[in-house]
Amino acid sequence: MNSNNNNNNNNNINSGNRNVDYETVIGLEVHVELSTESKLFCSCSAKFGADANENVCPACSGMPGMPPIINKKAIELAIAAAIVTNSEITPIISFDKKNYFYPDLPAGYQITQWFAPICKNGWIKIETAEPDKKTKRITLKQIHIEEDAGKLIHDPRSYSSLVDFNRTSVPLVEIVSNPDFRAADEVVAYLEELRSLLSFAGVSDCKMQEGSMRCDINISVRKVGSPVLGTRAEIKNMNSLKAIARAIEYESRRHITALETGCETLVQETRRWDDDSGMSFSMREKEEAADYRYFPNPELMPIHISEQWIESVRAKLPELASERFERMTKQLGLPMHDSKVITGSLNLSRIFDETLTRFNKPKEVANWIMGDLLSITKAAGKSDDEIEIDCEKLATVIRLVDDKTISRATGKKLLVKVFEEGIDPEAYVTDNSLGMVSDEGFLEKTIHDVLAANEKTVKEYRQGSTKVFGFLVGQVMRKTAGKADPRSVNELLAKLLEEQ
């Protein structure tokens, strides 16, 4: 499609409203890198974060004469993915060559599964967010194992592209859904549920910001009630839920505008998403399966997936998100909302469990994590998966507030210090004299001083203006530098106001 034509119609697209006569049809291809130490067909490290081209050998860089050797752990993680997505596991799997040329594919082909993938016919139940809350079953066409490609790094200053082959041959599974989605909120709910299932099962860390979970969106529109699918566009390599939702909304409007106005001719193509401009741009015409010339890889023998092997993988699965949710609600007595927030992230669940072993009050721990810790994390520009905090110190902060050693306000400030600097909470409280004042004699004298300095306000209170009570509490807290026990202040102030 002509990119100039695309640009000329952007104002029309962005200003238009979705036509209720059309429905959007979406299918997803989600690429999830597996949590293995080494790559799929060699012993190079598969870990993220190495210097460019540090984890490369003749095998994964496509040198001739280097036969692939399958990573058994990758097969087992793919079996785990099949189990948690309710999929039918294929008894005998095989690997094939997918042929295409691109600079990040050094061998000129990708080893994948076409004829006998690891599993088919799975499903995942999703629940969309409020206010349009609904549940839906999303069906999966298949899950297959394949090696990842390298990464192109574009340098706009030199108008050149560099290739990092560290990611080449990192094992991943591609999870292919059927076109069951009708809106962006369903896609987001599906990706959140998929991330939860796979991360809790140990299949992948699913860190979208590191590229270990990426999504290709296949989208078309059609008249409501029509059984015929529209012309499909694929948006490649999306790795942000917010960007995915924006891309779906934009592309849906683009298709509807094209059908309604004839401003452009829709063609089956691959597009890229530019998050800065909020628009998609044509990359190339969409390939068909025949273009890849799939054929069985003669260097890799078929693999038999026995029932015994499947059951051994099932037995080793850690506590899944659904199981943890049930434990938190039924055994620990947490509200469903609290349990859902915490089990929405493997890292949050780990922090909750580790903190709970040190301070055994589930609701208090949940409140601090959901309120204060997540607020601090958001302010730091980090995701839930990126939270790093010493759970022993977090538990100490909660305990200091709970036993009234410090006030809640001081506890919040203390937690920021723990998060940012890793301080010792107890030592910091002692060194900075942050302990809460609850001595009744001292508080009574302080309150008398406040009442004497605010006679007009006291008179208003006694004449029935109870709203000034909060002002007087604030004056006492100010005079004690926020160290007074708020409950003691409220009780003693009320008592003294009634006596005089």
Side-chain angles (χ1 to χ4, degrees):
M1 187 189 71
N2 190 305
S3 60
N4 291 330
N5 191 30
N6 181 80
N7 291 332
N8 290 337
N9 294 308
N10 280 325
N11 290 334
N12 190 24
I13 292 168
N14 288 321
S15 62
N17 294 318
R18 177 178 294 175
N19 193 311
V20 294
D21 294 334
Y22 292 90
E23 71 172 352
T24 306
V25 180
I26 307 164
L28 300 182
E29 299 168 9
V30 181
H31 298 81
V32 179
E33 291 185 350
L34 301 175
S35 296
T36 59
E37 293 293 329
S38 57
K39 293 184 178 181
L40 186 54
F41 299 116
C42 67
S43 59
C44 289
S45 172
K47 294 301 179 184
F48 175 83
D51 292 336
N53 295 306
E54 178 180 331
N55 300 327
V56 181
C57 73
C60 58
S61 60
M63 297 298 170
M66 299 299 297
I69 300 173
I70 195 71
N71 185 334
K72 182 181 178 182
K73 179 66 174 178
I75 303 295
E76 293 183 339
L77 291 176
I79 293 173
I83 292 172
V84 299
T85 57
N86 309 291
S87 299
E88 301 171 5
I89 297 176
T90 307
I92 299 178
I93 64 172
S94 59
F95 288 87
D96 311 291
K97 290 186 177 182
K98 177 182 181 180
N99 298 272
Y100 66 95
F101 173 77
Y102 207 66
D104 62 5
L105 197 67
Y109 61 84
Q110 179 187 37
I111 301 178
T112 183
Q113 293 186 303
W114 177 254
F115 297 106
I118 184 74
C119 64
K120 296 181 179 181
N121 302 327
W123 59 269
I124 292 174
K125 183 180 178 181
I126 66 167
E127 183 177 286
T128 59
E130 301 285 0
D132 300 321
K133 185 176 180 180
K134 59 185 174 184
T135 58
K136 186 174 183 178
R137 177 180 285 202
I138 303 299
T139 60
L140 307 180
K141 179 182 177 183
Q142 68 179 51
I143 298 177
H144 57 266
I145 307 168
E146 63 184 24
E147 60 178 344
D148 210 341
K151 182 179 181 180
L152 287 177
I153 302 170
H154 305 289
D155 186 351
R157 295 169 298 179
S158 63
Y159 298 98
S160 63
S161 296
L162 305 176
V163 188
D164 181 2
F165 288 119
N166 279 341
R167 204 171 66 183
T168 305
S169 201
V170 167
L172 58 80
V173 288
E174 180 175 339
I175 303 168
V176 184
S177 81
N178 289 310
D180 291 347
F181 305 95
R182 297 295 178 266
D185 63 338
E186 294 178 2
V187 170
V188 170
Y190 169 81
L191 292 172
E192 289 177 337
E193 180 65 17
L194 190 61
R195 181 170 58 184
S196 176
L197 288 170
L198 299 179
S199 61
F200 276 83
V203 172
S204 172
D205 60 24
C206 294
K207 293 181 179 179
M208 299 187 80
Q209 69 275 13
E210 294 182 2
S212 59
M213 184 176 181
R214 311 187 297 276
C215 178
D216 297 344
I217 307 168
N218 292 286
I219 183 170
S220 64
V221 300
R222 65 183 176 188
K223 287 281 188 176
V224 173
S226 172
V228 181
L229 294 174
T231 302
R232 174 168 57 96
E234 179 184 40
I235 307 177
K236 296 287 287 185
N237 291 326
M238 304 291 294
N239 62 354
S240 157
L241 295 179
K242 184 177 180 180
I244 287 168
R246 291 182 68 204
I248 290 172
E249 294 295 336
Y250 171 87
E251 196 65 15
S252 176
R253 290 196 303 270
R254 184 180 75 87
H255 280 235
I256 293 172
T257 301
L259 294 173
E260 286 290 292
T261 67
C263 62
E264 64 175 302
T265 301
L266 297 175
V267 296
Q268 186 166 301
E269 62 180 337
T270 298
R271 300 175 69 86
R272 68 175 180 85
W273 174 254
D274 181 12
D275 206 40
D276 291 332
S277 66
M279 297 186 295
S280 67
F281 295 89
S282 181
M283 293 172 61
R284 60 182 181 270
E285 288 189 3
K286 177 66 179 152
E287 300 87 349
E288 300 288 354
D291 297 323
Y292 293 120
R293 305 182 309 281
Y294 289 97
F295 65 87
N297 190 328
E299 298 172 319
L300 290 165
M301 297 297 291
I303 298 172
H304 178 228
I305 310 292
S306 66
E307 285 297 327
Q308 291 81 0
W309 195 2
I310 296 171
E311 290 308 313
S312 70
V313 171
R314 192 191 305 274
K316 295 175 186 175
L317 285 175
E319 184 182 40
L320 302 180
S322 57
E323 296 168 341
R324 190 167 300 204
F325 178 87
E326 187 171 355
R327 171 171 62 85
M328 291 175 67
T329 53
K330 293 185 178 179
Q331 295 183 20
L332 301 180
L334 287 178
M336 293 181 69
H337 171 73
D338 295 19
S339 300
K340 185 169 184 177
V341 171
I342 292 173
T343 58
S345 162
L346 177 61
N347 192 37
L348 278 187
S349 293
R350 177 192 62 79
I351 292 171
F352 174 82
D353 282 345
E354 291 186 13
T355 306
L356 194 63
T357 61
R358 297 165 171 84
F359 183 79
N360 192 21
K361 289 187 177 181
K363 183 56 180 171
E364 281 298 305
V365 173
N367 287 345
W368 277 88
I369 289 175
M370 294 190 305
D372 302 275
L373 183 58
L374 288 184
S375 177
I376 295 169
T377 302
K378 184 177 181 181
K382 294 186 176 183
S383 68
D384 298 353
D385 294 331
E386 296 175 297
I387 300 174
E388 295 181 5
I389 192 164
D390 187 322
C391 295
E392 179 71 49
K393 294 177 179 179
L394 172 58
T396 299
V397 172
I398 300 173
R399 177 177 53 78
L400 289 171
V401 174
D402 189 70
D403 63 16
K404 295 184 174 51
T405 300
I406 59 174
S407 68
R408 189 69 168 77
T410 301
K412 289 184 176 183
K413 296 176 182 177
L414 195 59
L415 184 60
V416 174
K417 288 284 186 181
V418 170
F419 182 86
E420 296 178 346
E421 304 173 24
I423 62 162
D424 180 328
E426 289 184 304
Y428 190 85
V429 167
T430 301
D431 294 344
N432 292 274
S433 303
L434 297 177
M436 193 156 59
V437 177
S438 55
D439 178 78
E440 187 170 328
F442 172 79
L443 290 180
E444 186 170 344
K445 181 181 182 305
T446 303
I447 292 172
H448 276 299
D449 291 343
V450 168
L451 296 180
N454 294 275
E455 292 181 356
K456 182 180 178 182
T457 305
V458 173
K459 184 177 181 181
E460 289 177 9
Y461 177 84
R462 288 173 177 159
Q463 290 175 344
S465 180
T466 56
K467 64 182 180 181
V468 301
F469 186 83
F471 169 79
L472 294 172
V473 170
Q475 294 301 303
V476 176
M477 297 303 292
R478 179 189 295 180
K479 202 169 181 63
T480 60
K483 296 178 184 179
D485 175 12
R487 180 178 294 178
S488 299
V489 170
N490 276 268
E491 292 175 352
L492 196 53
L493 178 61
K495 177 183 175 183
L496 294 176
L497 284 169
E498 293 300 324
E499 287 179 354
Q500 296 184 24

